Amino acid sequence: MIFSLESLSSKISDFTLNLIAAIVILLLGLVIGRFLGNLTKRILHELELDKLLKEQTRFKIPLEQFFGSIVKFIIYFTAIIFALNQLGLQTAILNIILIIILVSLVIFIILAVKDFIPNLVAGLFLHQKRNIKPGERIEVNNLEGEIVSVTLVETKLRTKSGEIVYIPNSVLTKNVVIKKR
């Protein structure tokens, strides 16, 4: 009888310690998730992402808030998984589902933004340097024309024949651009 009480007491204390550890993991996840989410928003705000998008697209898109929330919820989700693991409730099936979801999400994001990100970075660079402006005449890759507008991802050019050509901003940063007078 004493042996089984000790065994029961040991199991209860082990479970209590695991429960406390799971609660600490959840609390740390909440604090770290909120901190990194706010940090992401602050960094994107310093880069003036929403302001640049509004200037370039004429739409108010709250990407700073969106990316901050994404970071926060990924950390929350990770903390929940670690807490469940601490309690011994995480199963191999949950791991497999989580891996499939994460791999699918990464593949989707990579395919969705593989051309967008280099053009966005080039657009930010062009916007910051302000070395090409609407009204100027340029030549790039044997294409000559007047700049109509420079957005975050592309530059609109009007050729001598009046055609409108859209040039990805990454082309402008990777190739020689000749300013004409």
Side-chain angles (χ1 to χ4, degrees):
M1 183 82 171
I2 294 174
F3 179 71
S4 63
L5 283 177
E6 287 178 16
S7 174
L8 181 62
S9 174
S10 174
K11 288 181 181 181
I12 289 175
S13 76
D14 286 346
F15 178 75
T16 304
L17 288 175
N18 285 339
L19 182 62
I20 291 170
I23 291 171
V24 168
I25 289 170
L26 283 175
L27 291 175
L28 281 173
L30 290 173
V31 170
I32 292 170
R34 185 173 181 157
F35 173 76
L36 290 178
N38 288 337
L39 181 65
T40 302
K41 281 191 282 189
R42 198 171 301 134
I43 288 170
L44 293 176
H45 184 71
E46 288 293 322
L47 294 173
E48 298 180 336
L49 181 63
D50 285 352
K51 182 180 173 186
L52 289 173
L53 281 173
K54 186 176 180 183
E55 288 174 0
Q56 300 298 323
T57 64
R58 309 293 187 249
F59 294 110
K60 187 175 182 180
I61 303 170
L63 284 182
E64 295 168 4
Q65 179 74 29
F66 174 74
F67 286 124
S69 296
I70 291 290
V71 168
K72 180 172 59 174
F73 287 120
I74 287 174
I75 292 174
Y76 287 173
F77 185 72
T78 304
I80 290 169
I81 296 298
F82 281 131
L84 289 174
N85 190 31
Q86 184 65 35
L87 292 174
L89 298 176
Q90 188 180 28
T91 64
I93 294 173
L94 182 59
N95 282 335
I96 292 169
I97 291 171
L98 177 64
I99 289 170
I100 290 171
I101 290 171
L102 289 176
V103 168
S104 299
L105 185 63
V106 167
I107 289 171
F108 173 75
I109 290 172
I110 288 171
L111 291 175
V113 298
K114 69 178 174 80
D115 290 331
F116 179 76
I117 289 178
N119 289 322
L120 178 67
V121 170
L124 291 171
F125 176 77
L126 292 173
H127 179 76
Q128 189 176 38
K129 291 291 184 183
R130 298 174 198 243
N131 52 359
I132 61 169
K133 299 175 193 124
E136 292 181 335
R137 296 195 62 78
I138 63 167
E139 180 182 342
V140 61
N141 287 351
N142 296 324
L143 182 65
E144 185 178 337
E146 178 183 341
I147 298 174
V148 176
S149 65
V150 181
T151 65
L152 279 178
V153 292
E154 64 191 8
T155 298
K156 189 180 194 183
L157 218 65
R158 180 178 294 117
T159 64
K160 288 181 180 180
S161 63
E163 296 173 315
I164 299 292
V165 179
Y166 295 92
I167 302 172
N169 284 337
S170 60
V171 171
L172 295 175
T173 57
K174 290 178 184 175
N175 295 296
V176 175
V177 176
I178 301 169
K179 286 188 178 184
K180 301 286 185 166
R181 297 212 183 253

